[in-house]
Amino acid sequence: MFIIQFAVNVAVTDYPTDAFQGVPIPQAELSQVDRWIRTVFGGLTRWDAVHFLHIAQYGYTYENNLAFFPLFPTLIYSLTLIWSWAVPLIHFSTALILTAVTINFIAFVLCGQLLYALLLMLTKSTKLALLACVVFTLNPASVFFSAVYSESVYMLLTFCGMLALYADLSLSFIRYIIAALFFSFAFATRSNGVFNFGYIIFHLMVETLYSTTLHKFIGERDCGTVLLKV
């Protein structure tokens, strides 16, 4: 994916659009290292990525930035502050790109591992779990997990929440709290994360129904036992 985007980014001239371009950075402020990095990863910093990088560096300065939720750009900014001071040759905006690409790469790898663990837990089939991971990794939409978009972090938090729901059924109350925390962070990453709470509602409904049915069965069994004794 990195090789393809690099080749296309070098070979194809960007078509001029009226899309948000962020705050232009004077070329005089960029070192040769900055230019190399931007050439290598430039294909991953288009469209929505411009908004995330802008928010990470400047905050919500434009109204159209409000469509993008804060967790991902906040994570980019915070992690960049940790290491960027040690590399003065790199402009802060370039450091943000490196951090964002690294975050998404790590998150995407972890997503594959969590998806495998989740499906192995649910299906008990290594083959199905592996097949799902292959489809998840190689499907055409996976380009959004490599670009500076919030999909990778969102899916990582979503899978963590789902895994928490299924991990240990004996910890009913605690696992709901843990899952809710992960889903809350997912919601802070993307607006559609609000639908993740449906997993918790579904589990509560299933457990309530199962518990009611089980109690009814036990009650009928006990009544039958009493009648037999009488």
Side-chain angles (χ1 to χ4, degrees):
M1 183 63 68
F2 285 106
I3 296 175
I4 294 174
Q5 69 84 26
F6 170 69
V8 173
N9 190 47
V10 172
V12 180
T13 303
D14 291 339
Y15 184 81
T17 67
D18 59 352
F20 179 71
Q21 300 296 325
V23 177
I25 299 174
Q27 291 297 312
E29 296 183 8
L30 300 177
S31 66
Q32 188 60 43
V33 177
D34 288 311
R35 295 186 179 91
W36 287 340
I37 294 174
R38 288 169 178 269
T39 300
V40 172
F41 297 106
L44 303 177
T45 60
R46 299 290 189 261
W47 300 103
D48 289 0
V50 178
H51 288 274
F52 287 118
L53 293 172
H54 175 84
I55 295 169
Q57 186 169 1
Y58 301 104
Y60 288 89
T61 57
Y62 295 96
E63 184 178 356
N64 55 3
N65 296 147
L66 297 176
F68 303 90
F69 278 39
L71 183 61
F72 183 51
T74 301
L75 187 62
I76 296 173
Y77 175 77
S78 301
L79 293 179
T80 303
L81 284 180
I82 295 175
W83 69 270
S84 60
W85 63 271
V87 190
L89 291 177
I90 298 179
H91 193 273
F92 188 72
S93 61
T94 306
L96 290 173
I97 295 174
L98 289 177
T99 301
V101 171
T102 303
I103 289 173
N104 279 354
F105 175 76
I106 295 174
F108 189 43
V109 172
L110 292 177
C111 279
Q113 295 178 339
L114 289 176
L115 179 61
Y116 179 84
L118 182 63
L119 289 175
L120 187 62
M121 186 183 303
L122 294 176
T123 66
K124 310 300 181 184
S125 171
T126 303
K127 183 178 180 180
L128 285 177
L130 184 60
L131 179 61
C133 289
V134 171
V135 173
F136 174 74
T137 304
L138 300 181
N139 80 88
S142 65
V143 63
F144 297 108
F145 292 94
S146 301
V148 184
Y149 281 34
S150 58
E151 272 80 350
S152 288
V153 174
Y154 169 77
M155 286 306 303
L156 177 62
L157 294 169
T158 298
F159 285 154
C160 285
M162 295 175 67
L163 197 62
L165 285 176
Y166 289 99
D168 190 349
L169 298 180
S170 63
L171 301 175
S172 179
F173 182 71
I174 296 178
R175 66 191 175 95
Y176 283 131
I177 294 178
I178 296 174
L181 286 175
F182 279 120
F183 290 154
S184 296
F185 284 124
F187 177 51
T189 306
R190 293 181 62 84
S191 59
N192 54 340
V194 68
F195 295 107
N196 285 341
F197 292 99
Y199 293 117
I200 297 178
I201 296 173
F202 173 77
H203 268 268
L204 287 172
M205 291 175 60
V206 170
E207 287 193 357
T208 301
L209 180 62
Y210 175 77
S211 177
T212 302
T213 305
L214 181 61
H215 288 163
K216 181 180 179 181
F217 170 77
I218 293 175
E220 291 176 350
R221 184 194 63 186
D222 292 343
C223 289
T225 303
V226 171
L227 289 174
L228 286 175
K229 289 182 178 180
V230 172

